[in-house]
Every structure is written in structure tokens, then in C-alpha cells.
Amino acid sequence: MTAATETSGAFEAPRPYESYVYAYPHKTAYRPLPDPAPSLAALWRDEPKDALSLYAHIPFCEVRCGFCNLFTRIGAPDELTTRYLDALDRQATAVREALGDSEPVRFATAAFGGGTPTFLTADELERLCDIAEKRMGADLRAVPLSVETSPSTATSDRLAVLAERGATRISIGVQSFVEAEARAAVRPQRRADVEASLARIRDTAVPVLNIDLIYGIDGQTVASWTRSLDAALAWAPEELYLYPLYVRPLTGLGRLSPNADQEWDEQRLRLYRHGRDHLLARGYSQVSMRMFRRTDAPPQGADDYACQTDGMIGLGCGARSYTSSLHHSFDYAVDMREIRSIVDAYTGTEDFTRARVGRWVDADEARRRHLLQSLLQARGMATAGYEERFGTSPFADFPAELRRFGALGWLDAAAPAGLLRLSPEGLAHSDALGPALFSPAVRAAMAAYEPR
């Protein structure tokens, strides 16, 4: 028995699928900010603004999939999309004024997400792009612009608008090319419609196509998973995201099967490893646990935005905004009735000059966020960059966590000196490793959050 094996015996391996960490702190740790709420102008006054990210959130879908816990509602009656874009315009105007003109303001990357941005009509997508460009000053044709779509809304007229306005990446949620699995995930779609939408996307000549797939669906096998992977590969997508299925409270599947178990964990790990190896053997490289990129894919552009250090402007009632000291958004919910109420409140808002809901980020949280968001990338983190930013070593700041990760075999012992990088098993357990870096305060706030 090796020393590493002996050491690992002191640590109990956590369940591999605790939580998908795409932002830290999570919005369930946000709380209403006390009055007087901080003004955006004060928050951004001393922030660097030369490499910002712009994100516009469109909270509408035609249907809600059984696994979905995103902030989105079904349909948009009574000209709701018009009222929503009116509010988005007001918010963009207030945010751009808060950024000021004392120093150059530049956006390095942009994205439209949701929900389903292409729920909007072609004319409404034109207006969304105008808001980003004319109100915020983002040059959409000069930066990477990613837009999410769905098989039912990826119509030729909408895609033509996005291509003409500078989209460099179209991401489509397919989840499964096997119709029985799509039904099991409460995602009504026909494969013929999926294939037709992919053909339309390819016809636009947008340089990057991303296809989202999900593993762990009830009844899914290695063979059926392989059929979905190969169906996606037939389109030679520049990117593929492989997502483990989660069953969340208040979602369609959550109401049917609220409890995960060890057998399901093992199934998802088995399907993950198969999917990873299948893609690596077919000309893809791994960027993170979920993201795979074709090795010969064209670069998207000069994206110099770094999520660990640069600010984000989020427009829309489900979008986050980040400064170095405060992460903020609007109220958060999963239940459809609550979401409808929040969307309605957003469309009626006139004053967007202050942050109303969020969480302050102190020095410890900034260190955690930097380590977490760097370590979850396959390329790892150069410790010199961390030390330059914080004046300390990650090994001194997080000795217990890194010792535990090493004992579990999650750190790459063969990484070059000065590079902290996950092993293949570490990447496989990203959804356990990420939450292990949450602070006690954030964990307590998330535990106290009442799902609604």
C-alpha cells in the first residue's frame, strides 16, 4: 500500500454529484441587501472596466423540461416580451450610466442565455442586440458572442439575425437524440426536428456549434448514450457539453423522484467516463468536467475576459452581476408561480440604479472563488498568478482542502512545478470538489434558503 493510499483512508470520499458549481457564491446564498441599497455607480467607481463580460438573460421557454431548475417561465402572454425588453432597456441605460466615462469601458465577451433567448422573435432579437450595442456600448461583431437556442426555436429568421449581428457560438440543448430518453427527461421533441434545427444552425456558418447532452436519464444505457454521442458527432460540433442529470426540488422530475442513490451515482460516473473517453478518442480535448472542444476548432476571437478577476454585467431578472466586492442579481425562485411574480415585478421596475439582492465578497471568499473557478478547469491554475493576486499561497490558504483532494487522488501529481491541476478522477468529481471549497458562511446561507 502506498503512502497516498494510506492517507486517503483517512478521508471519506463524498458523493460525486453534490452540486454543479457554475458560479460562486450560489444565488441561494444571496439575500436582500439592507437599505440604503448600494448604488451601482459606487460599486463600479473603482473597478477595472477594460475587459467586462456582458450577459443578457431571457427568462422564457415554450416548455419546461422535467430536469430544469433554471429561472425561466413558460410562454409570454399579453406582450410580456415587449415589456421585458422595455425593462431590459431601462436597466441597460442605468447600468451604463453607473459605469461612467472617466475611463474606457470595454466588453471582452457577450452572451445571451435563459431560458431560451430564441423564444424572442427575429425582430425582438434585433432589439436585444441593439440594447447590448447602443445602450451598453458592446461591439457584438468584435467579441465572442454566444447565444443559447432550442430545437423548436432555432428558426432560419432568428438564426439569420444572430449570425448577422455577430454571433460566434450557437449552443443548442438537445440532451438526447433517443426519443424515449427525451420523454423520460420530460423534454418533448422529435429527433427529426432536432436534426433539422442543427442543419439550420450549420447553414448560418456561425463558427462554433455547441451541443448539450445529458447522461443519467432513466433507462439510459452505455449503448443508448453512445448513440446520442455519435448522433451529435455526426454534426462535427466544435464544442460538446456533457451534463449529469440532476433531480432538483420543485422541478418536474423532482416531484416524481426526489431521492438520488448510490446506484444512480455509479451509473452517472460510468456514463461520464464512457462519454469522456469516446470524445477524447475522436479528436476532442477536455476543457472541464462538462466541456469538450474539437482540437481543430477555430478560435472564437480575442477573448481576454477572466472570470476569476474581471467584472460581469448581467441584464435581466435572472442575471448575475459581479464586482470585486459584491455579487448581485434579483430575487431567485424555481417554482413557476414565484418566477412569474418575479418577472412581472422586473418588468414594472423603473429604478435600476441600485443593487437589491446579493452577497458581499470578502478577501477569503475571493480566494475561494479564484481557486474554485481555476481548479475546475482542466488546464489547472498557475500558483504564481494566485500568489501575485493575493500575496499568499493556495497551499497556505487551503491546506486541509488541498491535502484532502490529494489524498483522494483528485490532484495531478505529475503536473509541472507551479501548476495546481486536477487528475482525471478529480475532474470526474468536480461536482463534489467544488462544493468542498464553499465557505462555512456560504454553506449556512445556502442551507437556510427555502426553495420556492
Side-chain angles (χ1 to χ4, degrees), residues 220-302:
Q220 191 175 48
T221 64
V222 169
S224 67
W225 177 226
T226 303
R227 288 201 298 275
S228 270
L229 291 167
D230 287 342
L233 290 171
W235 292 97
E238 285 71 24
E239 293 177 3
L240 275 159
Y241 270 72
L242 308 185
Y243 287 95
L245 178 64
Y246 274 94
V247 174
R248 304 292 197 185
L250 303 182
T251 63
L253 290 180
R255 295 183 177 94
L256 296 173
S257 52
N259 297 316
D261 55 27
Q262 184 177 353
E263 183 179 350
W264 191 33
D265 286 345
E266 291 172 353
Q267 180 209 20
R268 285 181 287 179
L269 273 176
R270 182 168 58 252
L271 293 172
Y272 160 78
R273 292 181 176 122
H274 176 77
R276 174 197 63 194
D277 295 346
H278 198 73
L279 296 186
L280 294 179
R282 286 158 178 79
Y284 286 77
S285 60
Q286 187 166 17
V287 180
S288 68
M289 174 188 167
R290 287 164 172 75
M291 181 181 176
F292 295 81
R293 186 168 175 82
R294 215 178 69 210
T295 53
D296 62 346
Q300 290 195 64

Side-chain angles (χ1 to χ4, degrees), residues 16-68:
Y17 299 103
E18 181 175 336
S19 177
Y20 171 28
V21 183
Y22 55 89
Y24 179 78
H26 190 269
K27 284 177 74 172
T28 54
Y30 290 13
R31 294 293 185 271
L33 298 168
D35 288 329
S39 72
L40 300 187
L43 289 170
W44 283 103
R45 182 173 299 125
D46 299 321
E47 295 287 314
K49 309 177 186 71
D50 58 340
L52 298 174
S53 175
L54 177 64
Y55 177 78
H57 178 254
I58 306 300
F60 306 111
C61 289
E62 290 189 330
V63 297
R64 195 175 201 197
C65 303
F67 53 82
C68 179

Side-chain angles (χ1 to χ4, degrees), residues 39-45 49 52 89-103 105 107 131 134-137 313 315 350-354:
S39 72
L40 300 187
L43 289 170
W44 283 103
R45 182 173 299 125
K49 309 177 186 71
L52 298 174
D89 197 323
R90 294 194 297 274
Q91 185 188 4
T93 299
V95 172
R96 183 60 188 86
E97 290 178 356
L99 292 175
D101 295 308
S102 60
E103 58 184 285
V105 175
F107 290 94
I131 291 171
K134 296 176 182 179
R135 292 289 185 264
M136 295 303 304
I313 300 293
L315 302 178
E350 295 293 335
D351 182 6
F352 286 103
T353 62
R354 295 182 179 275

Side-chain angles (χ1 to χ4, degrees), residues 58 60-65 67 70 72 112-120 125 147-156 158-159 162 170-175 187-190 193-201 209-212:
I58 306 300
F60 306 111
C61 289
E62 290 189 330
V63 297
R64 195 175 201 197
C65 303
F67 53 82
L70 298 178
T72 185
F112 302 153
T116 308
T118 49
F119 180 92
L120 301 177
L125 286 171
V147 185
E148 297 174 6
T149 190
S150 67
S152 61
T153 62
T155 58
S156 296
R158 292 174 169 108
L159 294 171
L162 297 174
I170 301 291
S171 178
I172 183 167
V174 173
Q175 320 314 351
R187 182 180 178 83
Q189 64 185 26
R190 296 189 310 124
D193 296 333
V194 171
E195 300 281 359
S197 66
L198 288 166
R200 290 192 294 270
I201 293 171
L209 164 65
N210 173 72
I211 298 176
D212 289 346

Side-chain angles (χ1 to χ4, degrees), residues 6 11 13 20 39 65 86 140 146 202 219 268 283 313 353 364 369 373 386 388 396 418 428 446:
E6 291 174 354
F11 296 95
Y20 171 28
S39 72
C65 303
D86 288 345
L140 297 182
S146 177
R202 277 309 195 198
R268 285 181 287 179
I313 300 293
T353 62
D364 174 70
R369 181 170 182 262
Q373 294 194 307
Y386 181 100
E388 180 180 358
M446 293 175 66

